[in-house]
Amino acid sequence: MATVRLLEAGDWALYRSVRLASLAESPDAFWSSLAREETFAPSVWQDRLAARNTFLAENGDGPAGLAAVVPDEGAAAELVGMWVAPSARGQGVGDLLVRAALDWTAERGFAELRLWVFEGNHRAERLYARHGFARTGPAKPGRPGKDELQFEMARAAPAR
């Protein structure tokens, strides 16, 4: 059974290792790249943990997934950097991370949680739809130099 916890600034090395693993394993799921983030100094990882509310899913095999929530404009927050390790897929880890993000959002009074999904990432879209997310209509270019789009999904935060 997987558990989810909020990472603290002192967890920056663990966060770095899991984030780099996610970029190596699923390069097409993220706007950033492994080559870019491998060069980040420890202070960048620490700053990210300070600015984001990063959740780590763990199971008996170690880190199983990662997701972060960033306060956004007004009454919204944004779910970013969502990833589930291949060995943990299909075991509810993604659901645990999304629920943690929704709970965090509601506890802090945000009215909405938004996220972006690359066109064609049907597995991610199905995960988010299971939790009440729906496409909002806005789309934007994907990674620089590639002909792809990301689309926005959102849902109201659960009532508290």
Side-chain angles (χ1 to χ4, degrees):
M1 180 68 182
T3 59
V4 174
R5 68 182 174 99
L6 192 60
L7 293 177
E8 299 176 5
D11 295 318
W12 72 268
L14 172 61
Y15 170 53
R16 179 186 188 275
S17 71
V18 178
R19 174 66 177 168
L20 294 180
S22 72
L23 291 166
E25 190 279 323
S26 299
D28 292 333
F30 302 102
W31 184 87
S32 192
S33 70
L34 177 63
R36 176 178 174 262
E37 295 195 18
E38 282 179 317
T39 66
F40 289 174
S43 61
V44 173
W45 298 103
Q46 293 162 352
D47 290 348
R48 275 187 168 187
L49 285 177
R52 300 174 180 188
N53 302 282
T54 304
F55 297 95
L56 176 71
E58 298 171 294
N59 61 21
D61 297 328
L66 198 63
V69 180
V70 180
D72 201 2
E73 60 191 55
E78 186 172 355
L79 177 63
V80 299
M82 175 80 175
W83 176 75
V84 175
S87 63
R89 291 179 186 157
Q91 298 175 22
V93 171
D95 294 305
L96 288 173
L97 288 165
V98 171
R99 278 196 294 273
L102 286 166
D103 288 347
W104 184 93
T105 301
E107 288 166 4
R108 279 142 189 92
F110 289 97
E112 184 177 58
L113 183 61
R114 299 178 189 152
L115 56 91
W116 292 88
V117 178
F118 281 103
E119 242 350 297
N121 191 344
H122 303 294
R123 178 179 231 158
E125 188 173 3
R126 285 191 305 270
L127 166 66
Y128 301 132
R130 278 198 308 271
H131 292 276
F133 287 85
R135 287 189 186 206
T136 61
K140 65 181 181 181
R143 289 170 287 271
K146 294 196 177 187
D147 185 26
E148 62 190 358
L149 288 176
Q150 299 179 73
F151 60 87
E152 185 182 55
M153 296 181 80
R155 73 154 278 174
R160 282 280 162 189

